[in-house]
Amino acid sequence: GLKATVATRLKAVVTSNGRVSGKVLEAEQYAAHGLAWLATYAESLRQMAAYVAALEAIYPGRPVRAALLYTQTPQLIALPASALAPHKDHLGTAQQSYGDAGSLRY
């Protein structure tokens, strides 16, 4: 995906003989920070997709929506299902159980 492509290109720029050059990395800090932002964003989407999938399994037939809250601004950003769908496709099918779910009271 995009994150892997960016990481590969940045690695090619900042490494020489298999070692990262601090001097080159400093010169390319905008690219490095861009990669960090992209990786954080991708991980956020992956985790939110997992949360939505879990809630859909727990509450079948009920609508589940996801959003990110940025507290610095403050800003609530809705995450459309279409943004989460590609990340849901990569979730495993294995499930964990924490006892008898029928005994839980809501």
Side-chain angles (χ1 to χ4, degrees):
L2 179 60
K3 184 177 79 169
T5 300
V6 172
T8 299
R9 289 184 181 178
L10 181 61
K11 183 179 178 180
V13 170
V14 300
T15 59
S16 177
N17 297 322
R19 297 181 56 105
V20 173
S21 166
K23 191 179 242 184
V24 176
L25 183 59
E26 179 68 25
E28 296 294 336
Q29 65 178 304
Y30 289 114
H33 287 281
L35 174 59
W37 179 89
L38 182 61
T40 300
Y41 184 75
E43 181 60 20
S44 296
L45 288 176
R46 188 192 69 75
Q47 288 185 20
M48 292 303 288
Y51 295 146
V52 167
L55 289 171
E56 288 171 338
I58 294 168
Y59 302 107
R62 297 181 80 178
V64 177
R65 297 180 297 170
L68 294 174
L69 174 62
Y70 285 97
T71 56
Q72 183 177 2
T73 40
Q75 190 176 14
L76 184 65
I77 301 170
L79 297 174
S82 61
L84 300 177
H87 302 279
K88 279 179 150 182
D89 294 341
H90 298 298
L91 296 175
T93 57
Q95 306 234 344
Q96 287 185 311
S97 175
Y98 295 101
D100 179 19
S103 67
L104 298 176
R105 301 284 181 241
Y106 298 99

